[in-house]
Amino acid sequence: MTTKDLLYKKFVLFGDSITQRTFDQYILGGDPSRLDYSLGAELTSIYNRKLQVLNRGFSGYNTEHARHILPELLRLEHDESNSKIELMWIFFGANDAVQKGLQKVELERYEQNLEFLTQLALDRGIKVILITPGVVDDSALSQRDPEWKDGHIRNTTRNKMYAAAVKRVGEHFNVPVLDLLSALETHGDYEQLLVDGLHFLGKAYQILYRELLNLIESEYPELHPDQLPMKLPYWRDIDPSDIKASLNG
Amino acid sequence: MTTKDLLYKKFVLFGDSITQRTFDQYILGGDPSRLDYSLGAELTSIYNRKLQVLNRGFSGYNTEHARHILPELLRLEHDESNSKIELMWIFFGANDAVQKGLQKVELERYEQNLEFLTQLALDRGIKVILITPGVVDDSALSQRDPEWKDGHIRNTTRNKMYAAAVKRVGEHFNVPVLDLLSALETHGDYEQLLVDGLHFLGKAYQILYRELLNLIESEYPELHPDQLPMKLPYWRDIDPSDIKASLNG
């Protein structure tokens, strides 16, 4: 038999630690008695029986690493897979924008890297969402980050330069950009948004969720969860005398 | 280039609504200001960069439906996919055990169906975990379920008969059984476990999580998250002068 529609297309979250942590509920210092919001869970939940959400976040990575990873990721999950990537976010910059150190990527190179990554996805007909880096609380980071005194400085001013590059790439390819930095800045209170001056608390992920759904609704309305049919029928609609025919729709 | 290990094997959660809801954080009546525990998020999080968790829960479905779905699911996600299923839970019974109505599956047939499903997975070398149905609060259900008065009765006593069948199937194939019913019964307070007399609150999912990890540790220790290597290296271990070689390990 062929059960209609049981092959799920994919929504790939491609990025650094802020992406990698999207399924964590214990981001408040790991205290299991205090649950925080998981963006990955919410996306998986609203796309349940519609799209398969894949977390491909790699903590500490930047676009220089991403250039090497994405071709292989696309080969495995799209070219050589029976289940195609429908939608992908590309969300780097938190590490690229550091002023010094192993993770730093020069602004011009960051922009070239994003162009390279976007082109790879577009070549395969994948719908892309570019996300700007978020905000940084440099007063918190300067106290916590042991490398800060060596000039490994991160701050919102630097992130804004990188966010502008994301917007230029978006315009160049006519690909939608989620301006997360501006959305977080509007909220204002960084202590409610950031766990350590850099990584997101649930509140920041909730803002990202809201902006993401708005963007999908306006730019890729056919991929909004309300527009995608649920795989396999509602159970009351299944004819028990011919389950096979019911499931095949 | 070939970025080592970027192909994720799968952990498939196959079941009914209790599986389908594993990524929901708003199970407390849908109030977004009150977050509850998501088992799916926790599994995705602990298997991050190790195994890909796939939710294949279908609300309202029973083993009679599952017989038709699993062959296609295995064909798509295992036989014809480059990414194989490594681990799968089979978790039905909440609907099968109803005393009357569309969802009911006779006990003997339920056992045969579970045998059929288990055999399909074992034939492909997939590691299986069978989960017994949970507990039911029939006093809550009798007040809420409009079909209760028509004899669509669910209760823990019936679920125990079905749980015993799950254990027989486990013994028959020498496949581990997670006796969720007993674990939940030990907890005792059904109001803390069930949102509507049938579906799980976070507390019940947390018990399932704890039992699941214990079972994986004892029965499939090589698949415990602590034993699986994380895909791609720690970012500080990447040589910036030869990223390609670093990523390929």
Side-chain angles (χ1 to χ4, degrees):
Chain A
M1 80 167 287
T2 53
T3 308
K4 198 181 165 190
D5 283 334
L6 209 49
L7 190 65
Y8 289 53
K9 290 184 180 175
K10 299 162 189 162
F11 178 8
V12 172
L13 318 181
F14 183 48
D16 54 35
S17 57
I18 297 174
T19 297
Q20 184 173 322
R21 288 170 173 231
T22 47
F23 284 85
D24 296 2
Q25 300 166 95
Y26 303 139
I27 47 183
L28 294 161
D31 177 356
S33 71
R34 292 186 65 193
L35 290 170
D36 203 0
Y37 171 80
S38 159
L39 170 60
E42 175 123 40
L43 290 175
T44 305
S45 195
I46 61 165
Y47 280 112
N48 213 353
R49 294 171 62 175
K50 294 177 177 181
L51 286 179
Q52 179 64 50
V53 176
L54 301 186
N55 183 352
R56 292 296 181 271
F58 299 95
S59 181
Y61 282 46
N62 59 29
T63 55
E64 209 58 53
H65 305 123
R67 280 184 77 99
H68 292 269
I69 295 168
L70 192 59
E72 178 75 353
L73 196 164
L74 295 178
R75 182 178 72 76
L76 291 168
E77 298 291 353
H78 192 86
D79 304 344
E80 296 182 4
S81 174
N82 54 1
S83 158
K84 301 304 176 195
I85 301 173
E86 183 75 23
L87 183 62
M88 180 165 69
W89 86 27
I90 300 177
F91 181 17
F92 287 91
N95 300 313
D96 303 62
V98 66
Q99 196 164 291
K100 190 179 164 190
L102 266 180
Q103 293 169 302
K104 178 184 181 178
V105 175
E106 295 288 353
L107 181 61
E108 192 182 347
R109 176 68 174 172
Y110 173 74
E111 189 166 335
Q112 290 167 359
N113 288 347
L114 281 185
E115 287 177 356
F116 175 81
L117 300 172
T118 304
Q119 187 68 60
L120 283 180
L122 294 179
D123 285 347
R124 288 165 174 83
I126 295 167
K127 294 179 177 79
V128 174
I129 294 169
L130 295 169
I131 306 182
T132 72
V135 294
V136 173
D137 182 353
D138 45 342
S139 69
L141 268 183
S142 65
Q143 289 165 31
R144 296 182 195 205
D145 183 353
E147 291 180 310
W148 187 274
K149 62 181 187 314
D150 302 324
H152 295 212
I153 292 165
R154 302 170 194 258
N155 57 45
T156 301
T157 306
R158 288 195 59 82
N159 279 16
K160 277 186 187 173
M161 290 160 44
Y162 285 69
V166 179
K167 290 181 201 169
R168 288 193 295 273
V169 176
E171 277 169 28
H172 176 72
F173 289 106
N174 198 26
V175 157
V177 173
L178 193 162
D179 186 357
L180 181 60
L181 197 151
S182 296
L184 295 176
E185 230 183 5
T186 301
H187 183 275
D189 185 351
Y190 288 8
E191 283 196 16
Q192 280 188 31
L193 299 176
L194 304 172
V195 66
D196 54 6
L198 176 64
H199 295 103
F200 288 10
L201 287 166
K203 183 73 199 169
Y205 282 117
Q206 282 174 321
I207 291 169
L208 173 49
Y209 173 76
R210 190 189 63 211
E211 296 292 324
L212 180 66
L213 268 284
N214 286 344
L215 185 149
I216 290 172
E217 190 167 28
S218 63
E219 301 291 334
Y220 303 124
E222 72 284 6
L223 294 184
H224 191 278
D226 294 347
Q227 297 304 317
L228 292 169
M230 194 172 261
K231 290 177 183 297
L232 300 189
Y234 175 52
W235 67 270
R236 287 188 193 273
D237 294 335
I238 300 174
D239 177 0
S241 70
D242 196 349
I243 293 172
K244 184 175 170 177
S246 296
L247 292 177
N248 281 316
Chain B
M1 79 168 288
T2 54
T3 307
K4 199 182 165 191
D5 283 336
L6 208 50
L7 190 64
Y8 290 52
K9 289 184 182 176
K10 299 162 189 161
F11 178 8
V12 172
L13 319 181
F14 183 48
D16 53 36
S17 57
I18 296 174
T19 297
Q20 183 173 323
R21 288 170 173 231
T22 47
F23 283 85
D24 295 3
Q25 300 166 94
Y26 302 139
I27 48 183
L28 293 163
D31 177 357
S33 72
R34 292 186 64 193
L35 289 170
D36 203 0
Y37 170 82
S38 160
L39 169 60
E42 175 124 40
L43 290 175
T44 306
S45 195
I46 61 165
Y47 280 113
N48 214 353
R49 293 170 62 175
K50 294 177 177 180
L51 286 180
Q52 179 64 51
V53 176
L54 302 186
N55 182 352
R56 292 296 181 271
F58 300 96
S59 182
Y61 282 45
N62 59 28
T63 55
E64 208 59 51
H65 305 123
R67 281 183 76 100
H68 292 270
I69 295 168
L70 192 59
E72 178 74 353
L73 196 165
L74 295 177
R75 182 178 73 76
L76 291 168
E77 298 290 353
H78 192 85
D79 305 343
E80 297 182 2
S81 173
N82 54 0
S83 158
K84 301 303 176 196
I85 301 173
E86 183 76 22
L87 183 61
M88 179 166 68
W89 87 26
I90 300 176
F91 182 16
F92 287 92
N95 300 314
D96 302 64
V98 65
Q99 196 164 292
K100 191 179 162 189
L102 266 179
Q103 293 169 301
K104 179 185 181 178
V105 175
E106 295 287 352
L107 181 61
E108 191 183 346
R109 175 68 175 173
Y110 173 74
E111 189 167 336
Q112 290 166 359
N113 288 347
L114 281 184
E115 287 177 356
F116 174 81
L117 300 172
T118 303
Q119 187 68 61
L120 284 180
L122 294 178
D123 284 347
R124 289 165 174 82
I126 296 167
K127 294 180 177 77
V128 174
I129 294 169
L130 295 169
I131 305 182
T132 72
V135 293
V136 173
D137 182 352
D138 45 343
S139 69
L141 268 184
S142 65
Q143 290 165 27
R144 294 182 198 207
D145 183 352
E147 290 179 312
W148 186 273
K149 63 180 186 314
D150 302 324
H152 295 213
I153 293 165
R154 303 169 194 259
N155 57 46
T156 301
T157 306
R158 288 193 59 82
N159 279 16
K160 277 187 187 170
M161 290 161 42
Y162 284 70
V166 179
K167 290 180 201 169
R168 288 193 295 273
V169 175
E171 279 171 26
H172 177 72
F173 289 106
N174 197 26
V175 157
V177 173
L178 192 162
D179 186 357
L180 181 61
L181 196 152
S182 296
L184 295 176
E185 230 183 4
T186 301
H187 183 275
D189 185 351
Y190 287 9
E191 284 196 14
Q192 280 189 32
L193 299 176
L194 304 173
V195 65
D196 55 5
L198 176 65
H199 295 103
F200 288 10
L201 287 166
K203 183 74 200 168
Y205 282 118
Q206 282 174 323
I207 291 169
L208 173 50
Y209 174 75
R210 189 188 65 212
E211 296 291 323
L212 180 68
L213 267 285
N214 285 344
L215 185 149
I216 290 171
E217 190 167 30
S218 63
E219 302 290 336
Y220 303 124
E222 72 284 6
L223 294 184
H224 191 278
D226 294 346
Q227 297 304 316
L228 292 170
M230 195 172 260
K231 289 177 183 297
L232 301 188
Y234 176 53
W235 67 268
R236 286 188 194 273
D237 294 336
I238 299 175
D239 177 0
S241 71
D242 196 348
I243 294 173
K244 184 175 169 176
S246 296
L247 292 178
N248 282 316

